[in-house]
Amino acid sequence: MTREPSNSGDNKISVAFCCLGNICRSPMAEAVLRHATSEMKLSHLINEIDSFGTSGFHSGDGPDRRTVQTCRANGVPVNHVSRQVRLSDFERFDYIFAMDRENLEDLKYMQPRGSKSKIMLFGAYCEDARMDKIISDPYYGGPDGFQSSFRQLDHFSRTFLKKLATGTA
Ligand code: 4NP
């Protein structure tokens, strides 16, 4: 008898990332997790990866050019159209990862009682004591902020995937 991977078919999970504007951090997070999933050959574990913002300030816009440049410089394709979080997202996604504490509190406030999403800081998957768990807003800063967000997102994504693959996420 052939055995299915332990997390296949209906067991695939859906993941979303949330920041404030959905043009800098969360589209980058979406792109980085998708890339790491493919590199680590774990696509059988994940159904959907998406992102949105707590605000609709930039709805309809593409990612900030500094997010595009940083992703491109690190060999990661990024492609997204900004949108605001919807109530249905709390049933659609198994995990909704917040970038900072404000996003986390806003999501928890919005979440319909009893809905399925697990809402967490993505930094909960930090295994490097020197790295900040909070992915702070790089919008008003220089390019260094985007590169540092990228490094955090890459580390958290790989830790999350490692745990997902061993059933400990
Ligand atoms: P993000 O960054 O939340 O990482 O997409 C921001 C983008 C836009 C604004 C704030 C943060 N804004 O105020 O327009």
Side-chain angles (χ1 to χ4, degrees):
M1 190 175 81
T2 52
R3 270 180 170 273
E4 290 285 308
S6 62
N7 206 341
S8 66
D10 288 348
N11 290 329
K12 281 185 171 188
I13 60 150
S14 292
V15 179
F17 294 96
C18 184
C19 59
L20 175 61
N22 191 215
I23 55 168
C24 298
R25 293 165 291 176
S26 60
M28 185 189 282
E30 181 192 329
V32 168
L33 182 67
R34 192 170 288 126
H35 185 73
T37 302
S38 156
E39 267 197 3
M40 292 169 74
K41 304 199 183 333
L42 293 175
S43 302
H44 58 285
L45 300 183
I46 300 190
N47 181 31
E48 186 181 12
I49 304 174
D50 196 5
S51 68
F52 39 74
T54 54
S55 81
F57 298 158
H58 291 275
S59 286
D61 292 354
D64 185 283
R65 67 182 160 72
R66 295 163 296 175
T67 283
V68 175
Q69 280 163 2
T70 305
C71 285
R72 192 173 291 156
N74 287 280
V76 172
V78 60
N79 181 24
H80 182 70
V81 177
S82 173
R83 72 170 177 92
Q84 188 168 20
V85 58
R86 298 188 274 261
L87 286 182
S88 56
D89 290 321
F90 295 96
E91 279 302 335
R92 179 165 157 192
F93 295 99
D94 297 280
Y95 292 90
I96 301 178
F97 290 127
M99 301 292 103
D100 63 30
R101 291 197 195 286
E102 189 183 1
N103 312 147
L104 182 73
E105 291 313 312
D106 288 346
L107 286 167
K108 283 186 173 169
Y109 181 77
M110 279 181 245
Q111 181 171 37
R113 202 182 292 272
S115 55
K116 91 168 178 190
S117 302
K118 190 169 179 189
I119 300 174
M120 301 167 60
L121 272 180
F122 197 35
Y125 292 98
C126 183
E127 287 186 336
D128 181 344
R130 293 158 306 176
M131 190 176 270
D132 198 341
K133 291 182 168 57
I134 301 297
I135 304 173
S136 33
D137 190 347
Y139 185 64
Y140 294 105
D144 284 4
F146 284 79
Q147 182 55 35
S148 127
S149 298
F150 185 94
R151 273 197 300 272
Q152 290 174 284
L153 290 168
D154 189 57
H155 172 64
F156 303 163
S157 291
R158 287 171 195 277
T159 308
F160 171 65
L161 289 169
K162 214 170 49 183
K163 287 184 181 267
L164 192 62
T166 53
T168 58

